[in-house]
Amino acid sequence: MSIAKHKILVVDDEQDIVELIAYNLKREGYQVFTANNGKEAIAQAKEANPDLIILDVMMPLMDGIEACRLMRAMPEFKHTFMVFLTARSEEYSEIAGFHVGADDYIAKPIKPRALMSRINAILRRNTSEEEVHEGNRLEVADLVIDRDSFLAYRGSDKIVLAKKEFELLYLLASKPNKVFTREQILKSIWEDSVVVTNRTIDVHIRKLREKIGENYVATVKGVGYKFELA
């Protein structure tokens, strides 16, 4: 999908912020829609079906966290990118955003060039994810991850992983740069295990890093992990 066809919904109760973001997005060729609170955002999103939604956290009537939570529960927004925009720097607000399904987090004050770079990268992520999948095989960064053989390769080097280590790697690499919360990881990989704890995830991450290297899996403090692409 070309940039010109991408639709972005900008949601903020500060009109000057909405206008600044909308102006810069339109200059980049995006189709832009706007709303001033969470309730308006949901109604506008249902009508416009945007590819990406930029949500302020603190808004009247309904805040961005609640709006994101509600939209993530709707099938039509399952794959919509959602980015939080906020002046709040407290760690707990960022954690709350990721827990309700945010894909990224951008702090105010807005720097237009940096914002556009981030938005472009997020939307390119969808294209990258489509390109790396080939049946049960992922090609991401310099790794090839083969689900049929439960093996990973770096060039001609074969990396042998335990089953859960492989499943963890495959999950993270299937959506590069997306933050997976601990709850999402537990549900995806250890769904039937009632004795698994967060410590179990940490141990498997440590073992995975020992085998593939330290530069692939990044920790997002208080939230979870992601497969990091530069």
Side-chain angles (χ1 to χ4, degrees), residues 69-88:
R69 186 187 68 79
L70 291 173
M71 284 189 283
R72 279 296 187 223
M74 302 176 188
E76 61 265 43
F77 303 120
K78 182 178 180 181
H79 300 295
T80 303
F81 289 111
M82 297 197 191
V83 177
F84 279 112
L85 180 71
T86 182
R88 299 177 67 181

Side-chain angles (χ1 to χ4, degrees), residues 28-225:
E28 291 284 321
Y30 294 112
Q31 296 180 55
V32 181
F33 304 85
T34 63
N36 297 120
N37 59 66
K39 288 186 176 181
E40 286 184 14
I42 294 173
Q44 183 70 280
K46 288 181 177 179
E47 183 176 336
N49 191 27
D51 302 289
L52 184 147
I53 302 174
I54 301 173
L55 283 162
D56 186 32
V57 170
M58 298 299 294
M59 294 183 292
L61 298 182
M62 182 186 292
D63 64 29
I65 300 289
E66 179 65 8
C68 180
R69 186 187 68 79
L70 291 173
M71 284 189 283
R72 279 296 187 223
M74 302 176 188
E76 61 265 43
F77 303 120
K78 182 178 180 181
H79 300 295
T80 303
F81 289 111
M82 297 197 191
V83 177
F84 279 112
L85 180 71
T86 182
R88 299 177 67 181
S89 59
E90 295 94 332
E91 185 179 90
Y92 76 85
S93 65
E94 184 170 347
I95 292 172
F98 283 124
H99 274 290
V100 294
D103 292 286
D104 209 338
Y105 206 91
I106 300 173
K108 296 177 182 177
I110 297 166
K111 298 178 181 179
R113 184 175 296 180
L115 176 66
M116 292 306 104
S117 177
R118 186 80 67 89
I119 296 303
N120 291 339
I122 291 168
L123 288 170
R124 282 198 304 270
R125 185 189 305 172
N126 187 53
T127 302
S128 298
E129 289 169 11
E130 291 173 356
E131 289 174 350
V132 299
H133 286 264
E134 183 182 340
N136 286 329
R137 182 184 179 96
L138 295 179
E139 296 183 18
V140 58
D142 59 348
L143 295 177
V144 175
I145 307 166
D146 188 344
R147 196 174 184 86
D148 291 330
S149 64
F150 273 74
L151 291 171
Y153 300 86
R154 187 189 296 108
S156 60
D157 296 330
K158 180 169 66 176
I159 305 170
V160 179
L161 301 169
K163 185 174 184 291
K164 292 299 184 185
E165 294 167 6
F166 179 89
E167 291 177 350
L168 181 56
L169 174 62
Y170 195 92
L171 174 68
L172 298 177
S174 68
K175 294 184 180 295
N177 290 326
K178 172 182 171 58
V179 179
F180 286 87
T181 66
R182 292 173 178 274
E183 289 79 8
Q184 289 171 327
I185 293 172
L186 285 171
K187 184 176 180 180
S188 296
I189 298 177
W190 285 279
E191 186 172 6
D192 298 326
S193 302
V194 295
V195 295
V196 174
T197 65
N198 286 336
R199 176 61 178 161
T200 302
I201 298 177
D202 296 337
V203 170
H204 279 76
I205 289 289
R206 176 175 56 78
K207 291 180 177 178
L208 183 59
R209 285 171 171 160
E210 289 174 356
K211 294 179 179 180
I212 68 170
E214 297 286 336
N215 299 325
Y216 298 98
V217 179
T219 301
V220 180
K221 187 178 179 182
V223 183
Y225 298 96

